[in-house]
Amino acid sequence: MKKHVLIVSALLLASGALAQQKKTITVGVFPDLDSVVKAALPGFYKTHPNIEVKINSLAYADHHNALTTALATGNGANDVEAIDFGYVAKFAEGGGLVDLSKAPYNAAQYRNRFVAYTFPQAMTQDGRMVAMPTDIGPGSMFYRTDFLKKAGVQPTELNRSWDSYIAAGRKIVAANPGTFLIPDASEVATIIIRTGLKSGEGLYFDQAGKVLVGPDNPRFVRAFTVAKQIRDAKLDARAGAAFSSDWTTAFQKGNLASEVSGAWLVGHMQNWLAKDFAGKWAAQQLPGNSYTSYGGSFYGIPSQSKNKAEAWELIKYLTTDPSQQILAFKTTGAFPALRAAQTAPLFNEGVPYLAGQKARVLWRQAANQIKPIDVNRLDPVAEQIVSDSLSAVLDGSKTVEQALGEAQRLIQRRAR
Amino acid sequence: MRAGTSAATPRLSLGARWNNFQRRYAPYIFISPFFILFAVFGLFPIVFSLYLSFHEWQPAAGLGSMEFVGWRNFTDNLTDPTFWQSLRNTAVIALESGIPQHLIAIPLAFAIHMGLRRVQGLVTALYFLPYITSVVAISVIFVTIFSWQYGVLNVLLTGLRNLPLIGGLFPAEKINWLGNREFLQPAVASVVVWRYVGWNVVLYLSGLQAIPRDLYEAASVDGATTWQQFRHITLPLLRPIMFVAVTLTLIGNLQLFEEPYIIAGDSGGIGNMALTTVMYMYRTYNFYSDAGLAAAMSWLLFILIGGLTFVNNRVFGRGRLSGSD
């Protein structure tokens, strides 16, 4: 009897100790990144048996809104928060997210292991690092091989320069009635604005916060002029933003000869956007030696988290473990930010949708060519104003000079 | 009676005290849920947004980062060309959608009231359907209808163009409804009209049903035509309900958000033509992370709506009504 009591109490003690050690942390995430975290958990539990992970997945916008509210009120954030590239600058302000460059995290030691432009995206102007990169979207041009063939156009003519892109586009559209070179002319302007930046220059502001947009900045003048040429030549479908109704329909009907986007677009194309045109699309680099990124995801730790050590363990696992990054790529096609993961044999295989083309090699090259861009708190404001003035140029209501002059004044007004 | 105890201070029994307490305070407890909910979800946000409108605050930086800036948010808004453009857009779309709503709804309600008495419920329900349908679903469908290359509307116009004789009346090229400055606002307004006509029909029907039947009977005995009945009985007696309906439209249209937001996107569409003030407020808060500026904008809009409602009240309201009767 005594023996039994001893065993039972020993068991009780042991289970009590175990329960005490096991910590539950929560991860706030959005689709499809939630499936990446889900896929990672079995591997994570093997090395971290004492951490239990709960996934709180919300729709893309809801997730970021909830995070804003949690940071504003200092309450309700998850221990690990996924942050999309577009929101990083916004969340970097204030002390809402912990500085990962400091001890005990010392994230800077991993810097060289990541694609060069990813770390600066998550750094604030005063040198804090608010999130770790996990996936990236190297820019790529997709084009329809059958349309090009019919027009007798070589793929290199499309990407040699922007001028040759437009010239080739005229031939393609003429030879294939009812098609468009590109969904929207403004996409071209977006790329040109993002390329050829001087070191230390942001997209719209320099390091000192001075507004760069204006009629005297060649980068913007060229971006607006080229976009206007495409619009005037009636080469674009005027579909507006990506994933708009016209954009989607144009893809589904097979009316587009080319599109510039992140490498991740292939996943959408094969799953729903252009299912019927498998094997007819191919990829190459963006025109005129442009290398730019389309989005990317990050993980940060809110200052209010009570399980920062465990949260950091999970983030490290998700971002710095090559096998996990490869698993993520297999799960959703999210291109790894970790360089070691990009050398996996998988990346030398052909992409079935692109007729077996070894496009991942291209994307890897592009990823390593992309230059870091300084971010500014007012980037969203400037981006909106520039996009408004571009649309005024495209529909002919303002000249390039007028539009850029006005944009400059409007941005300066806001940079108070 | 136990005179000994009650002589000093009258000590009531527990039951009597409970009764007393109930009589005094129970009503307050019973109505308190409303006041608590109102304080939390109504009063607090209003007071907080007023407080916020005098501060500069980026929400993601936490409550501690609030900084008092006085009237700067108001002056910044009032000197912002985009704010004024958003007000212009709101006013134009409000007029383009507000006036047709009532011009369609009043005769329609009269026709349903007079002619379709048996199927009145069914017809009303049909007209009311857009109002209770999800605005997201509606707007998505209209976006597809208005689509430049692939839209039903342009297919229809092309079909009509190919008709003999009258074909020349229709445009030769597809119209980019949502991508053209001059068409975007009417396109948004048409969706708003479509959505709210049913709502107004129901309002006017209820007004019509309050008009005594014998007035019409007497009029028709006197030989009044339907038009004369409409003109001299229906319209004057419908005035109170018209006042209500117009006020609701005025307030609703000045706060227009969902329809333009989904049709034109958060960018406000071509040349910002569909950027309403509430959309701009949302953009300022959500994309520019400038909560103080957005709060000040909401108060400026409030002042505008309050002013216009006051004017509407003076022109169409009770005072005028009793004077003219």
Side-chain angles (χ1 to χ4, degrees):
Chain A
M1 183 65 197
K2 218 175 180 182
K3 206 168 136 194
H4 280 123
V5 172
L6 264 177
I7 293 172
V8 169
S9 52
L11 277 174
L12 276 173
L13 272 174
S15 65
L18 265 181
Q20 240 176 6
Q21 274 182 359
K22 198 150 186 160
K23 261 199 175 165
T24 303
I25 60 168
T26 55
V27 184
V29 73
F30 47 85
D32 286 334
L33 203 57
D34 51 358
S35 40
V36 169
V37 180
K38 212 172 182 181
L41 288 185
F44 181 68
Y45 288 150
K46 266 183 210 152
T47 47
H48 298 80
N50 294 330
I51 302 176
E52 176 92 31
V53 178
K54 207 172 146 267
I55 299 173
N56 291 329
S57 180
L58 288 174
Y60 178 82
D62 294 341
H63 165 78
H64 291 102
N65 283 343
L67 182 55
T68 310
T69 312
L71 294 181
T73 55
N75 190 12
N78 295 291
D79 297 305
V80 174
E81 290 282 5
I83 302 165
D84 186 70
F85 164 66
Y87 286 86
V88 171
K90 173 173 166 179
F91 292 132
E93 290 297 319
L97 298 169
V98 298
D99 181 0
L100 299 175
S101 67
K102 294 240 168 64
Y105 315 104
N106 300 317
Q109 59 178 309
Y110 301 109
R111 185 165 183 154
N112 293 334
R113 292 167 62 183
F114 283 83
V115 171
Y117 73 88
T118 55
F119 264 53
Q121 283 182 331
M123 308 269 285
T124 62
Q125 276 161 331
D126 53 359
R128 288 178 302 122
M129 176 162 178
V130 295
M132 278 288 274
T134 179
D135 61 54
I136 56 174
S140 175
M141 174 198 274
F142 300 97
Y143 62 93
R144 282 282 294 268
T145 47
D146 51 336
F147 289 168
L148 264 67
K149 204 177 227 172
K150 203 171 164 198
V153 168
Q154 291 301 313
T156 47
E157 288 178 53
L158 271 185
N159 79 345
R160 196 184 314 130
S161 69
W162 287 110
D163 293 331
S164 77
Y165 177 71
I166 297 174
R170 287 180 199 268
K171 286 188 219 162
I172 296 169
V173 170
N176 300 277
T179 62
F180 298 99
L181 178 61
I182 189 168
D184 203 281
S186 62
E187 294 172 75
V188 169
T190 311
I191 299 175
I192 300 177
I193 288 171
R194 265 153 234 272
T195 44
L197 276 78
K198 293 186 201 95
S199 142
E201 207 175 76
L203 285 181
Y204 310 103
F205 301 91
D206 68 6
Q207 267 171 332
K210 191 180 153 266
V211 180
L212 296 171
V213 182
D216 48 354
N217 185 320
R219 190 154 52 91
F220 287 94
V221 174
R222 170 134 178 86
F224 278 40
T225 314
V226 173
K228 177 73 173 153
Q229 281 169 355
I230 291 175
R231 171 63 51 91
D232 287 348
K234 299 197 169 178
L235 293 178
D236 74 324
R238 298 165 76 170
F243 297 97
S244 70
S245 147
D246 276 3
W247 183 86
T248 311
T249 319
F251 257 109
Q252 287 170 337
K253 297 211 172 204
N255 289 353
L256 297 171
S258 75
E259 166 66 316
V260 287
S261 183
W264 43 259
L265 188 68
V266 170
H268 290 286
M269 276 158 57
Q270 69 181 22
N271 292 335
W272 61 283
L273 208 49
K275 257 200 259 182
D276 304 342
F277 306 103
K280 291 183 174 164
W281 284 93
Q284 63 177 350
Q285 301 294 9
L286 296 171
N289 288 319
S290 318
Y291 300 99
T292 181
S293 79
Y294 287 81
S297 319
F298 297 80
Y299 294 110
I301 305 176
S303 313
Q304 52 185 277
S305 162
K306 291 192 174 66
N307 307 303
K308 294 194 182 78
E310 290 79 10
W312 177 238
E313 285 303 314
L314 179 65
I315 292 182
K316 261 198 306 190
Y317 182 78
L318 289 170
T319 57
T320 63
D321 186 320
S323 60
Q324 159 49 32
Q325 286 262 300
I326 292 164
L327 179 66
F329 182 66
K330 279 186 194 157
T331 312
T332 60
F335 209 83
L338 188 72
R339 290 221 312 267
Q342 296 176 358
T343 51
L346 183 70
F347 287 85
N348 300 322
E349 287 172 16
V351 179
Y353 183 83
L354 301 174
Q357 189 193 359
K358 290 181 179 172
R360 289 160 188 166
V361 181
L362 269 171
W363 299 332
R364 185 169 60 204
Q365 284 166 359
N368 291 299
Q369 292 280 347
I370 299 168
K371 297 270 180 301
I373 293 174
D374 277 359
V375 291
N376 187 293
R377 183 177 72 82
L378 289 171
D379 277 348
V381 181
E383 187 179 339
Q384 181 68 51
I385 292 172
V386 168
S387 139
D388 290 346
S389 61
L390 176 61
S391 79
V393 169
L394 289 182
D395 82 348
S397 47
K398 281 191 191 114
T399 66
V400 173
E401 194 165 51
Q402 285 170 339
L404 282 172
E406 196 186 290
Q408 184 176 33
R409 280 192 299 281
L410 283 173
I411 299 170
Q412 271 166 352
R413 237 198 111 252
R414 291 297 298 252
R416 54 194 190 189
Chain B
M1 282 253 171
R2 285 177 291 170
T5 48
S6 58
T9 45
R11 285 196 61 137
L12 293 167
S13 71
L14 201 64
R17 283 209 330 245
W18 173 240
N19 266 340
N20 218 354
F21 171 80
Q22 272 198 332
R23 204 166 311 148
R24 265 199 181 169
Y25 299 108
Y28 295 107
I29 293 171
F30 281 118
I31 59 166
S32 67
F34 166 76
F35 286 101
I36 293 169
L37 288 175
F38 174 71
V40 173
F41 296 106
L43 196 62
F44 172 71
I46 294 172
V47 174
F48 185 66
S49 83
L50 188 63
Y51 178 77
L52 206 53
S53 64
F54 293 100
H55 290 75
E56 181 173 334
W57 184 45
Q58 285 147 38
L63 280 170
S65 68
M66 244 185 231
E67 194 189 320
F68 182 77
V69 292
W71 291 97
R72 199 186 71 183
N73 286 327
F74 289 90
T75 52
D76 272 10
N77 271 317
L78 290 172
T79 51
D80 176 8
T82 316
F83 174 70
W84 286 104
Q85 195 198 348
S86 80
L87 276 182
R88 256 196 318 277
N89 293 341
T90 310
V92 170
I93 298 175
L95 282 177
E96 281 178 354
S97 64
I99 295 172
Q101 265 180 54
H102 295 273
L103 291 185
I104 296 171
I106 297 174
L108 197 62
F110 184 67
I112 294 172
H113 182 64
M114 299 303 281
L116 302 167
R117 215 166 290 167
R118 264 201 218 151
V119 285
Q120 196 176 312
L122 182 75
V123 177
T124 319
L126 277 179
Y127 277 109
F128 200 62
L129 210 55
Y131 181 73
I132 52 168
T133 310
S134 150
V135 63
V136 178
I138 293 169
S139 305
V140 167
I141 287 170
F142 270 93
V143 166
T144 344
I145 290 174
F146 285 128
S147 164
W148 179 40
Q149 288 296 323
Y150 315 102
V152 181
L153 193 58
N154 276 335
V155 171
L156 188 78
L157 285 178
T158 317
L160 289 171
R161 169 85 188 166
N162 293 334
L163 287 178
L165 294 172
I166 57 162
L169 293 171
F170 298 97
E173 282 201 357
K174 287 177 177 173
I175 296 176
N176 192 353
W177 298 100
L178 303 179
N180 244 335
R181 276 163 199 268
E182 57 267 44
F183 293 123
L184 183 55
Q185 288 179 341
V188 172
S190 69
V191 179
V192 179
V193 170
W194 182 81
R195 184 158 183 243
Y196 289 97
V197 157
W199 162 257
N200 286 309
V201 166
V202 170
L203 275 183
Y204 286 125
L205 262 177
S206 67
L208 286 170
Q209 271 149 7
I211 300 173
R213 286 261 158 213
D214 18 342
L215 288 178
Y216 292 102
E217 278 159 22
S220 57
V221 167
D222 288 345
T225 60
T226 313
W227 167 248
Q228 284 169 328
Q229 291 177 22
F230 180 72
R231 171 78 187 75
H232 296 288
I233 302 175
T234 313
L235 277 186
L237 290 178
L238 214 51
R239 261 186 82 151
I241 213 82
M242 277 163 76
F243 170 65
V244 171
V246 169
T247 309
L248 289 178
T249 305
L250 185 72
I251 296 172
N253 281 4
L254 289 175
Q255 297 186 32
L256 213 55
F257 176 76
E258 293 111 320
E259 290 91 350
Y261 183 79
I262 297 166
I263 290 173
D266 49 34
S267 69
I270 179 84
N272 273 335
M273 295 302 277
L275 183 77
T276 62
T277 307
V278 181
M279 270 171 80
Y280 190 44
M281 192 188 340
Y282 176 77
R283 182 196 281 180
T284 306
Y285 173 78
N286 210 34
F287 296 102
Y288 301 171
S289 296
D290 206 332
L293 204 59
M297 210 182 287
S298 77
W299 279 93
L300 288 171
L301 185 65
F302 167 75
I303 293 166
L304 179 75
I305 293 178
L308 287 178
T309 311
F310 178 75
V311 170
N312 180 40
N313 200 359
R314 292 305 291 267
V315 177
F316 293 106
R318 286 246 162 250
R320 266 294 295 276
L321 263 186
S322 51
S324 67
D325 276 349

